Amino acid sequence: MRYVFAVTSILIVTAVALVLQSYDLRDAELPALVLAIGIVTWYAGSGPAAVAVVLAAATFNYLFVEPIYTFYVSGQDLPYFVIFVLSAVTVTFFSSVRRRSEESLRQARDRLQIELDQRQRREGEIRRLNQELTLRASELAAANKELESFTYSVSHDLRAPLRHLVGFSELLRKHASSSLDEKGQKYVETIFDAGKRMGSLIDDLLTFSRIGRTESRMATVDLQGLITEAIAEVKQQTNGRDIHWEVGAFPACHGDRSLLKLVMLNLLSNAVKYTQEGGAIQFLVEECETNSFVYAKYRFLVSDNGIGMSADFKDKIFD
């Protein structure tokens, strides 16, 4: 279609020039043909423009240069013909350059528009995420407030009756031990131990509720010393039971000492609770393979000779 447009344009301009010539309006064919070449170059591109230049030169030579109706160019008309061809080529060249420049500018504008649309979409997404974050922050603040209220309730409302339970059971054990048979004394002892255990569970619950609201204090931690402290505290719960301890050599690490100690106490107290008389508790560490050149990775192993858990529930152990 572009080449048809080029040929049609030259034919129309030639027809108009011939009509003007019939009315004795001469020398209009040169600017008309050059104008046609410029239009073809602008709208159709370089290939159709070259066709337009060749066709216009042939038409100009055949119909408007003496002798007409031949392609012969006399020496007298040769400069005139050369000027026409150079004018046509010059117009074609500049029109082609401008067309390429316009096309480059159009493509740059389209790319900028695409980038602008993408940026607006990203900004909209960021605003949406910020709104969601603000909503989540308000929900988290409300949840923290509820947690604080719950902590207050646990700390004050549950501790008071628990202290009465433990205190009076201990008084009963001291003052009525002579009048109670062995089974009665065992009942009192069970009540007293359960009360102490309940107090320990409340302490653990309060500690757990503070973990998410306490800023971590990261530092280099001597795990060997920390585990020694944890074992010394846990041994107070053994009540003279014959338990053998096997503890490995632990490396230093980077973390929050208080939270790491809490983890060790939970692991060791759980092992002590379920270890049978004369059993052994192993607490070992082994280095794992890692691709990191900065940090080492360790696995901590705690084992006891307790009854353990059924394999059917192993996926729920850490829930």
Side-chain angles (χ1 to χ4, degrees):
M1 293 302 296
R2 293 185 297 121
Y3 286 95
V4 170
F5 173 73
V7 174
T8 304
S9 298
I10 298 300
L11 292 178
I12 292 174
V13 170
T14 302
V16 172
L18 290 173
V19 171
L20 294 176
Q21 192 178 55
S22 65
Y23 287 99
D24 294 330
L25 296 175
R26 298 182 178 277
D27 299 329
E29 61 276 1
L30 178 61
L33 289 172
V34 172
L35 177 62
I37 292 171
I39 293 174
V40 169
T41 305
W42 182 262
Y43 288 102
S46 300
V51 172
V53 169
V54 173
L55 186 59
T59 303
F60 181 72
N61 185 27
Y62 188 78
L63 296 176
F64 302 105
V65 177
E66 296 292 341
I68 62 174
Y69 307 128
T70 67
F71 292 105
Y72 173 77
V73 180
S74 64
Q76 182 180 359
D77 293 328
L78 182 61
Y80 189 66
F81 181 76
V82 171
I83 290 173
F84 168 75
V85 174
L86 290 177
S87 300
V89 171
T90 302
V91 170
T92 302
F93 173 75
F94 283 109
S95 298
S96 178
V97 170
R98 184 171 179 179
R99 176 183 173 86
R100 287 196 298 269
S101 300
E102 289 286 342
E103 186 65 25
S104 299
L105 290 174
R106 189 181 301 107
Q107 292 176 357
R109 182 197 63 191
D110 294 340
R111 287 195 299 269
L112 288 175
Q113 185 63 43
I114 292 173
E115 292 178 1
L116 179 61
D117 294 341
Q118 292 176 348
R119 182 174 180 179
Q120 289 176 345
R121 285 196 296 269
R122 288 194 295 267
E123 290 177 350
E125 184 69 15
I126 290 174
R127 285 194 296 270
R128 185 184 64 81
L129 292 175
N130 285 335
Q131 292 174 354
E132 292 183 0
L133 183 60
T134 302
L135 178 61
R136 296 293 181 271
S138 60
E139 293 176 352
L140 182 60
N144 284 336
K145 190 172 182 179
E146 292 179 2
L147 182 59
E148 291 176 1
S149 300
F150 171 73
T151 304
Y152 179 85
S153 175
V154 170
S155 178
H156 293 79
D157 299 345
L158 296 184
R159 283 186 182 277
L162 183 61
R163 282 196 299 268
H164 291 126
L165 177 65
V166 174
F168 282 106
S169 62
E170 186 175 12
L171 290 174
L172 181 62
R173 184 178 60 176
K174 290 180 179 179
H175 294 283
S177 58
S178 59
S179 60
L180 294 175
D181 57 11
E182 182 178 354
K183 183 175 291 187
Q185 293 179 3
K186 185 176 180 180
Y187 290 159
V188 173
E189 190 72 26
T190 300
I191 294 172
F192 180 75
D193 292 340
K196 291 182 62 178
R197 177 60 179 163
M198 184 63 184
S200 177
L201 290 174
I202 291 176
D203 291 338
D204 291 343
L205 185 62
L206 294 175
T207 302
F208 180 74
S209 70
R210 288 192 294 267
I211 287 177
R213 296 179 288 128
T214 303
E215 183 178 357
S216 297
R217 297 179 177 86
M218 306 299 289
T220 301
V221 179
D222 177 16
L223 278 183
Q224 196 71 51
L226 184 147
I227 291 172
T228 301
E229 294 178 12
I231 291 176
E233 293 184 21
V234 170
K235 280 184 177 180
Q236 300 175 5
Q237 306 173 15
T238 60
N239 296 325
R241 292 160 55 197
D242 182 18
I243 296 178
H244 174 68
W245 292 85
E246 181 181 347
V247 182
F250 291 86
C253 70
H254 190 70
D256 186 306
R257 193 180 192 279
S258 61
L259 296 182
L260 284 171
K261 186 176 181 180
L262 179 62
V263 172
M264 302 307 172
L265 284 172
N266 286 338
L267 290 172
L268 293 174
S269 62
N270 185 77
V272 167
K273 180 168 58 177
Y274 293 106
T275 296
Q276 300 176 13
E277 186 70 23
I281 295 177
Q282 288 184 325
F283 196 7
L284 308 175
V285 62
E286 62 181 22
E287 187 170 358
C288 307
E289 293 185 3
T290 176
N291 296 325
S292 174
F293 294 99
V294 181
Y295 299 106
K297 184 177 181 181
Y298 296 94
R299 177 185 292 112
F300 296 90
L301 309 171
V302 183
S303 62
D304 57 71
N305 67 339
I307 190 173
M309 295 184 66
S310 170
D312 297 337
F313 303 105
K314 66 179 182 178
D315 295 334
K316 298 184 181 298
I317 291 178
F318 290 100
D319 288 347

